[in-house]
Amino acid sequence: MEKIKVENLDLFYDQTQALKNVHMSIQEKEVTAFIGPSGCGKSTFLKTLNRMNDLVEGCRITGSVTLDGVDVYGNMDLNVLRKRVGMVFQKPNPFPMSIYDNIAFGPRTHGIRSKVALDEIVEQSLRAAAIWEETKDRLKKSALGLSGGQQQRICIARALAVEPEVLLMDEPTSALDPISTLKIEDLVSELKNKYTIVIVTHNMQQAVRISDKTAFFLLGELVELDTTDRIFSMPKDKRTEDYITGRFG
Ligand SMILES: Nc1ncnc2c1ncn2[C@@H]1O[C@H](COP(=O)(O)OP(=O)(O)OP(=O)(O)O)[C@@H](O)[C@H]1O
Ligand SMILES: [Mg+2]
């Protein structure tokens, strides 16, 4: 099932074109990895999927992005879009508040007030992000007191708390040690049973380990999107081959 469809997408930052005529289909409950050299437009493209670029001055987008067939740039309510398409960033960015309040923040924004309901959401989200055991006895403590790897799992729990359908992750493990990285990778493999996941990574081994599909970007173009197996064993495009074999980038 197709979850997201992108057609004819061009994006400009003022005069500079950062994305060129991108077409992409993202399948439901799969992990799609974006790879490519620094500056090729991976983060820019990821952010077009939940309109995070709307906040960037001078950013102009043409083309279409649909979520379940509905135009994301049409009259879809932004709050609804961001609830359906959550995001986790490169640097863990918990809010300067308690672990509990970090997770309850989104649900509260969406009008959930009952303590019983919030307690349940907080526990379920922390469990889903594989951080419940480490935090259940310190929920009222600041999230900033956690390690980087724990903070990133808090950010994932915070994203899950509003029951998104799609999770966008921009290099979620690049600031983490190998053990925390493996925890997040295991988590991603677990979460794809319920969510559609799009993950940017500079680590090609990571793409191989966790993704079903891989998209290779170069200079604002989507060069190739295929099953991860094929991208890393027999890519169709010479530029993809050069990149995955380490000849540039
Ligand atoms: N807010 C912005 N204003 C102007 N130009 C930008 C902005 N954000 C990104 N760019 C430019 O758009 C291009 C794509 O940047 P982007 O951050 O999407 O690349 P990336 O593939 O995510 O790179 P990296 O792997 O280093 O994170 C770059 O040339 C970058 O300088
Ligand atoms: Mg980036």
Side-chain angles (χ1 to χ4, degrees):
M1 270 282 285
E2 183 177 68
K3 187 71 184 172
I4 296 173
K5 189 182 186 74
V6 177
E7 289 175 297
N8 269 310
L9 191 89
D10 287 312
L11 183 147
F12 293 84
Y13 290 119
D14 294 313
Q15 305 307 316
T16 318
Q17 188 163 10
L19 294 172
K20 298 171 188 161
N21 194 27
V22 178
H23 291 256
M24 187 184 292
S25 173
I26 295 173
Q27 304 300 307
E28 188 169 34
K29 295 185 183 165
E30 282 192 350
V31 177
T32 303
F34 292 174
I35 62 167
S38 187
C40 68
K42 303 177 298 296
S43 298
T44 298
F45 183 72
L46 194 73
K47 285 186 280 186
T48 63
L49 304 181
N50 71 345
R51 296 185 57 171
M52 292 293 279
N53 293 311
D54 284 19
L55 310 169
V56 179
E57 216 176 302
C59 177
R60 192 159 56 78
I61 299 172
T62 58
S64 87
V65 178
T66 59
L67 177 66
D68 290 334
V70 179
D71 184 8
V72 158
Y73 287 86
N75 47 20
M76 191 181 287
D77 183 282
L78 258 194
N79 288 321
V80 172
L81 174 65
R82 302 266 167 78
K83 177 184 179 311
R84 295 179 64 188
V85 184
M87 190 149 186
V88 175
F89 299 87
Q90 177 170 11
K91 247 181 91 223
N93 59 349
F95 302 137
M97 52 179 79
S98 73
I99 293 167
Y100 185 100
D101 288 340
N102 262 274
I103 312 303
F105 190 91
R108 281 177 175 140
T109 308
H110 292 289
I112 300 176
R113 288 279 173 273
S114 135
K115 181 172 184 310
V116 178
L118 288 171
D119 284 356
E120 176 69 16
I121 291 169
V122 168
E123 177 169 346
Q124 288 314 317
S125 305
L126 290 168
R127 281 189 189 281
I131 184 82
W132 171 249
E133 291 303 326
E134 288 154 83
T135 56
K136 64 181 183 202
D137 299 322
R138 54 192 289 192
L139 293 175
K140 297 291 167 194
K141 298 254 166 64
S142 171
L144 300 180
L146 297 167
S147 74
Q150 290 172 328
Q151 288 186 12
Q152 194 62 307
R153 279 177 285 146
I154 292 293
C155 294
I156 293 171
R158 185 176 67 192
L160 297 180
V162 296
E163 301 186 318
E165 297 158 37
V166 180
L167 203 53
L168 309 177
M169 308 176 98
D170 196 351
E171 301 190 52
T173 64
S174 66
L176 306 182
D177 67 277
I179 290 173
S180 304
T181 295
L182 278 182
K183 281 197 181 140
I184 304 267
E185 289 184 6
D186 286 347
L187 181 56
V188 167
S189 302
E190 186 69 29
L191 293 174
K192 82 166 181 185
N193 295 317
K194 269 186 82 179
Y195 307 93
T196 302
I197 297 176
V198 187
I199 181 168
V200 175
T201 179
H202 270 283
N203 180 335
M204 290 194 253
Q205 294 313 313
Q206 178 166 78
V208 170
R209 283 194 295 267
I210 64 176
S211 70
D212 302 291
K213 302 277 173 58
T214 296
F216 171 60
F217 286 84
L218 187 63
L219 299 169
E221 277 180 63
L222 170 60
V223 173
E224 192 169 351
L225 166 63
D226 209 331
T227 63
T228 297
D229 280 351
R230 275 199 292 270
I231 288 287
F232 288 97
S233 60
M234 42 180 165
K236 294 196 186 75
D237 196 291
K238 175 79 167 57
R239 293 168 293 176
T240 313
E241 184 180 343
D242 286 349
Y243 185 71
I244 61 157
T245 55
R247 275 196 275 272
F248 72 88

